[in-house]
Amino acid sequence: MPRFACLIPILLAVSSPLAASPAFTVRIKDYKLLPAKLVFPKGERIELTVINEGPGTEEIESNTMRIEKIIPEGKTVKLRIGPLKPGTYDLFGEFNQTTCIGTVVVE
Protein backbone atom coordinates (compact mmCIF):
# COMPACT_ATOMS: atom_id res chain seq x y z
CA MET A 1 0.00 0.00 0.00
CA PRO A 2 1.44 3.42 -0.90
CA ARG A 3 2.65 5.50 1.99
CA PHE A 4 -0.06 8.20 1.82
CA ALA A 5 -3.01 6.04 0.70
CA CYS A 6 -4.75 6.62 4.03
CA LEU A 7 -4.95 10.36 3.23
CA ILE A 8 -6.95 9.93 0.00
CA PRO A 9 -10.41 9.74 1.70
CA ILE A 10 -9.59 12.84 3.77
CA LEU A 11 -8.44 14.82 0.73
CA LEU A 12 -11.57 13.85 -1.19
CA ALA A 13 -13.80 15.00 1.67
CA VAL A 14 -12.00 18.33 1.97
CA SER A 15 -12.00 19.05 -1.75
CA SER A 16 -15.70 18.19 -2.30
CA PRO A 17 -17.80 21.22 -3.21
CA LEU A 18 -20.04 22.44 -0.40
CA ALA A 19 -23.76 22.36 -0.93
CA ALA A 20 -24.98 25.60 -2.45
CA SER A 21 -27.07 27.93 -0.31
CA PRO A 22 -30.73 28.26 -1.27
CA ALA A 23 -31.05 31.24 -3.62
CA PHE A 24 -33.91 33.71 -3.96
CA THR A 25 -34.45 36.82 -6.09
CA VAL A 26 -36.48 39.95 -5.41
CA ARG A 27 -36.88 42.86 -7.82
CA ILE A 28 -37.50 46.51 -7.06
CA LYS A 29 -39.68 47.91 -9.83
CA ASP A 30 -41.92 50.98 -9.89
CA TYR A 31 -41.32 51.51 -6.13
CA LYS A 32 -42.48 47.97 -5.22
CA LEU A 33 -40.86 44.72 -4.13
CA LEU A 34 -41.66 41.81 -6.44
CA PRO A 35 -42.54 39.34 -5.07
CA ALA A 36 -43.75 41.01 -1.87
CA LYS A 37 -43.48 37.74 0.08
CA LEU A 38 -40.59 35.29 0.17
CA VAL A 39 -40.51 31.97 2.02
CA PHE A 40 -37.08 30.84 3.28
CA PRO A 41 -36.21 27.48 4.85
CA LYS A 42 -35.35 27.67 8.54
CA GLY A 43 -31.79 27.23 9.75
CA GLU A 44 -30.11 27.74 6.37
CA ARG A 45 -27.88 30.47 5.04
CA ILE A 46 -29.66 32.15 2.12
CA GLU A 47 -28.37 34.02 -0.91
CA LEU A 48 -30.78 36.83 -1.76
CA THR A 49 -30.33 38.62 -5.08
CA VAL A 50 -31.90 42.09 -5.22
CA ILE A 51 -32.36 43.64 -8.67
CA ASN A 52 -33.23 47.33 -8.83
CA GLU A 53 -35.11 47.93 -12.08
CA GLY A 54 -35.97 51.47 -11.01
CA PRO A 55 -36.82 54.12 -11.37
CA GLY A 56 -34.22 55.57 -9.04
CA THR A 57 -31.94 54.38 -6.28
CA GLU A 58 -33.41 52.38 -3.40
CA GLU A 59 -32.06 51.30 -0.04
CA ILE A 60 -33.22 47.78 0.79
CA GLU A 61 -33.60 47.30 4.53
CA SER A 62 -34.74 44.90 7.19
CA ASN A 63 -34.65 45.75 10.87
CA THR A 64 -35.32 42.15 11.86
CA MET A 65 -32.73 40.60 9.50
CA ARG A 66 -30.21 43.45 9.95
CA ILE A 67 -29.97 44.38 6.27
CA GLU A 68 -29.21 47.84 4.92
CA LYS A 69 -27.89 48.22 1.38
CA ILE A 70 -28.17 51.03 -1.17
CA ILE A 71 -28.82 49.75 -4.70
CA PRO A 72 -28.59 52.21 -7.61
CA GLU A 73 -31.07 51.88 -10.46
CA GLY A 74 -30.04 49.16 -12.91
CA LYS A 75 -27.77 47.39 -10.41
CA THR A 76 -27.94 43.96 -8.77
CA VAL A 77 -26.74 43.07 -5.28
CA LYS A 78 -26.31 39.64 -3.69
CA LEU A 79 -26.85 39.40 0.06
CA ARG A 80 -26.05 36.52 2.40
CA ILE A 81 -28.70 36.11 5.10
CA GLY A 82 -29.13 33.79 8.05
CA PRO A 83 -29.47 31.20 9.14
CA LEU A 84 -32.82 32.42 10.46
CA LYS A 85 -35.24 31.01 13.01
CA PRO A 86 -38.89 30.39 12.03
CA GLY A 87 -40.94 33.58 11.97
CA THR A 88 -41.84 36.62 9.90
CA TYR A 89 -39.25 39.26 9.00
CA ASP A 90 -39.63 42.71 7.46
CA LEU A 91 -38.14 43.78 4.13
CA PHE A 92 -38.65 47.26 2.68
CA GLY A 93 -37.27 50.08 0.61
CA GLU A 94 -36.13 52.96 2.83
CA PHE A 95 -36.85 55.62 0.20
CA ASN A 96 -40.38 54.34 -0.59
CA GLN A 97 -41.65 52.83 2.66
CA THR A 98 -45.34 53.07 1.77
CA THR A 99 -45.09 51.06 -1.47
CA CYS A 100 -41.79 49.14 -1.41
CA ILE A 101 -42.69 46.70 1.36
CA GLY A 102 -42.48 42.98 1.76
CA THR A 103 -42.09 40.14 4.19
CA VAL A 104 -39.89 37.09 4.56
CA VAL A 105 -41.49 34.05 6.17
CA VAL A 106 -39.11 31.44 7.53
CA GLU A 107 -40.57 27.94 7.87
Side-chain angles (χ1 to χ4, degrees), residues 12-15 17 24 28 30 33 40 43 62 68-69 78 95:
L12 290 174
V14 171
S15 64
F24 297 86
I28 301 169
D30 298 325
L33 284 177
F40 291 175
S62 173
E68 187 173 2
K69 185 72 176 175
K78 291 186 185 256
F95 303 147

Side-chain angles (χ1 to χ4, degrees), residues 24-28 33-35 38 48-52 60 91:
F24 297 86
T25 300
V26 66
R27 296 180 302 128
I28 301 169
L33 284 177
L34 302 171
L38 296 168
L48 178 62
T49 301
V50 183
I51 304 166
N52 184 357
I60 192 79
L91 189 64

Side-chain angles (χ1 to χ4, degrees), residues 3 5 7 14 16 18 24 26 32 35-36 52 55 58 78 80 87-88 96 101 103 105:
R3 213 169 136 183
L7 294 177
V14 171
S16 302
L18 297 175
F24 297 86
V26 66
K32 295 179 184 171
N52 184 357
E58 185 58 86
K78 291 186 185 256
R80 303 278 293 165
T88 301
N96 298 285
I101 52 176
T103 57
V105 177

